Amino acid sequence: MFFDERIALFNVEASSSEEVIKIAADELYKRGIVKENFYEHVMLREKEFPTGLATDKYGVAIPHTDSKYVNRSQIEFISLKSPVKFKNMGNVSEDVEVTHVFMIAMSKPHEQSEILVKLMEMFADEELMQKMHECSADSEYESILKEKGLI
């Protein structure tokens, strides 16, 4: 459900968390998944509630905002060519070097807990995260999602 549209960008070059969030938000907007003001509200939320998370091997970020800025639910995956710093969700005074961004667009408020549980399961799966890290094409991405039962 959350990966149905298989939106992924690979080896993206970005110099900051703001830039990668803008790239992700623009892609979602171009596809009609989010409303025009989605990026602005993701950035406001990110300042108050950062989304960087250090997992065993990779730094991930899960930027998102309220469902009222979303037309339909979807998760977009972005792998970064070089890490960018996101503030740590558990300690805002720390930075996390992020290489994987999962931009969450949820159209219904109750979906947040379901999405977060699914993502945390993914982050704990080292094999999956390694495959996501090495992935560089839509066909590979789709195969990974199918193999893991995400689509």
Side-chain angles (χ1 to χ4, degrees):
M1 171 180 165
F2 301 117
F3 290 95
D4 291 348
E5 297 189 38
R6 299 161 187 80
I7 302 168
L9 303 173
F10 310 103
N11 297 310
V12 170
E13 289 192 43
S15 58
S16 67
S17 59
E18 293 85 1
E19 185 178 2
V20 73
I21 290 171
K22 178 74 169 130
I23 291 167
D26 286 352
E27 184 68 21
L28 292 174
Y29 178 69
K30 181 175 81 177
R31 293 173 183 243
I33 293 168
V34 299
K35 294 178 170 67
E36 189 173 1
N37 54 359
F38 179 78
Y39 167 74
E40 171 189 341
H41 289 279
V42 170
M43 290 309 304
L44 288 171
R45 189 188 184 290
E46 193 71 26
K47 283 179 179 35
E48 195 170 338
F49 304 105
T51 61
L53 179 64
T55 65
D56 285 341
K57 194 169 179 182
Y58 301 104
V60 299
I62 52 171
H64 56 284
T65 192
D66 294 335
S67 59
K68 63 185 169 185
Y69 307 108
V70 177
N71 296 321
R72 63 184 184 276
S73 297
Q74 200 58 219
I75 296 175
E76 173 184 18
F77 170 68
I78 297 176
S79 65
L80 298 170
K81 192 170 203 154
S82 303
V84 297
K85 289 182 167 102
F86 275 73
K87 290 294 180 190
N88 187 325
M89 72 169 60
N91 182 349
V92 296
S93 64
E94 291 179 8
D95 289 330
V96 176
E97 294 283 325
V98 168
T99 53
H100 300 78
V101 177
F102 293 83
M103 176 71 91
I104 301 172
M106 28 175 196
S107 61
K108 298 175 186 78
H110 70 274
E111 293 175 330
Q112 182 172 345
S113 59
E114 184 182 346
I115 289 172
L116 292 176
V117 166
K118 182 64 74 180
L119 287 173
M120 292 307 163
E121 288 171 359
M122 289 175 61
F123 302 158
D125 184 335
E126 287 185 34
E127 179 189 354
L128 170 66
M129 292 304 290
Q130 183 66 36
K131 286 181 179 184
M132 296 288 268
H133 183 72
E134 294 168 356
C135 184
S136 61
D138 289 333
S139 58
E140 288 177 72
Y141 180 64
E142 186 169 344
S143 292
I144 294 165
L145 294 177
K146 281 182 179 172
E147 177 187 323
K148 295 296 180 176
L150 297 169
I151 55 172

